[in-house]
Amino acid sequence: MAEPDHNSGIGPWARLYNHLLSQSELNRELVLNEALRPAEDERSSVLSLAQCLEQPSLLLDQVGTDYPDNTGTRAARALVSVLQQDLALSVIAPLTLRLFRDGQTPLPDAKRIFLSPMDQQSQTTSRWFQVPGGEMAGERTFVQSVGEITAQWYPVFRRQLGVSPGAYWSSIGLGLGAPFSAVWNLAEPHALCQLAQGWLEQFQNDANRFIDWIPAVFGEQATAIPQRRGCCLKYLLPEGGYCGTCGVHRKERLATLMPQERSTKPAQWPQGQ
């Protein structure tokens, strides 16, 4: 009996991804299932993304309500920038993971994306979510549509909310690169970097300009990381700090990360500088 074709139904980039994982003896479905967060029960919301895009002051007012101790333009800009990064990682990333796993996924839809109330225990918890439903899209439609959708969101985040180009597009790039981040220390790093960069180039937006996938060594293990050309400004928040891919320390990191032979020593996603 012939073995089942695990590539059936997925697009050409997902097939290339599957081949990359197979070369490292990894199972695509298992990897992506693990990367996807379990579906949460029904969540309450305070705003939809559609409302924020139509009237950006609503998001600024919500930030002021949620974080009354963080006053001033600089603090508000940092908080909105972190929220935009959360939008990319909590909505764009899981949609991309589902696309690579299933061959189809709903498109990001501002009318179906909502901001949940703030968790009083944390300023950086995931807050954006997209409710189930919506028309399913295959790989080609996803690439074209998400490239256009993220470009449409950009002027509001940039001009009305003050998110920098580097912060906005590098966060979008992290979301779109989620399948590759899932195996950053598991798959062959040079091939992973090449495939991840090629995937970002398909979207015809600026995400690819603000993310460089590079081979890196932590301890004795060769890995691959998405090095940002931008910063979400999380470090300005009281419980902030620098992400492992932060563009603030880009030059220093690039100077110290030298590709070496792959080892089997486990690694953790780098935090801080």
Side-chain angles (χ1 to χ4, degrees):
M1 180 181 295
E3 294 185 0
D5 182 3
H6 295 288
N7 289 332
S8 61
I10 64 174
W13 284 92
R15 288 196 293 271
L16 290 172
Y17 179 79
N18 187 71
H19 178 71
L20 172 69
L21 267 59
S22 296
Q23 295 295 102
S24 297
E25 299 183 347
L26 299 169
N27 181 282
R28 172 178 53 87
E29 293 185 12
L30 292 178
V31 164
L32 298 178
N33 282 338
E34 185 174 348
L36 280 163
R37 298 173 184 170
E40 296 189 31
D41 295 332
E42 185 175 344
R43 300 172 65 178
S44 58
S45 65
V46 293
L47 285 171
S48 71
L49 179 59
Q51 289 176 297
C52 298
L53 295 173
E54 183 177 348
Q55 193 174 345
S57 61
L58 292 175
L59 186 58
L60 292 174
D61 291 343
Q62 188 63 47
V63 165
T65 299
D66 291 343
Y67 309 101
D69 296 332
N70 290 279
T71 59
T73 302
R74 190 170 186 235
R77 179 171 172 242
L79 288 163
V80 172
S81 185
V82 170
L83 281 176
Q84 187 266 325
Q85 177 175 256
D86 175 56
L87 174 63
L89 297 180
S90 296
V91 175
I92 301 292
L95 293 178
T96 309
L97 290 165
R98 288 182 59 183
L99 176 72
F100 272 54
R101 185 191 65 181
D102 303 334
Q104 58 179 354
T105 187
L107 294 172
D109 181 349
K111 294 180 180 179
R112 306 180 70 87
I113 298 172
F114 295 92
L115 182 69
S116 64
M118 187 186 73
D119 181 352
Q120 296 297 327
Q121 303 302 315
S122 174
Q123 291 185 332
T124 56
T125 189
S126 298
R127 297 184 62 185
W128 293 102
F129 64 98
Q130 179 161 310
V131 297
E135 185 176 352
M136 303 294 283
E139 194 174 277
R140 179 181 296 182
T141 300
F142 181 86
V143 168
Q144 178 179 350
S145 298
V146 173
E148 294 172 354
I149 289 167
T150 52
Q152 291 166 2
W153 294 351
Y154 173 68
V156 173
F157 279 98
R158 176 69 187 114
R159 297 169 190 166
Q160 276 72 48
L161 297 172
V163 178
S164 72
Y168 181 88
W169 288 115
S170 61
S171 291
I172 294 296
L174 288 179
L176 293 172
F180 304 95
S181 295
V183 292
W184 73 282
N185 62 341
L186 299 174
E188 199 288 313
H190 290 83
L192 172 60
C193 291
Q194 184 177 15
L195 189 61
Q197 207 73 53
W199 166 246
L200 290 180
E201 290 173 0
Q202 305 306 304
F203 287 86
Q204 300 298 305
N205 59 24
D206 283 340
N208 185 58
R209 288 182 53 208
F210 290 96
I211 287 282
D212 292 315
W213 275 87
I214 58 173
V217 174
F218 298 101
E220 297 178 357
Q221 182 178 21
T223 64
I225 65 168
Q227 173 59 61
R228 301 175 62 150
R229 292 176 179 267
C231 174
C232 70
L233 304 182
K234 178 182 176 182
Y235 73 94
L236 294 175
L237 303 182
E239 58 177 86
Y242 296 98
C243 304
T245 62
C246 181
V248 169
H249 299 287
R250 174 184 172 83
K251 290 183 179 180
E252 297 92 328
R253 186 174 294 114
L254 291 179
T256 58
L257 298 180
M258 298 297 293
Q260 298 178 11
E261 292 296 323
R262 183 176 178 80
S263 83
T264 58
K265 183 177 180 179
Q268 300 293 320
W269 187 269
Q271 299 297 321
Q273 298 183 27

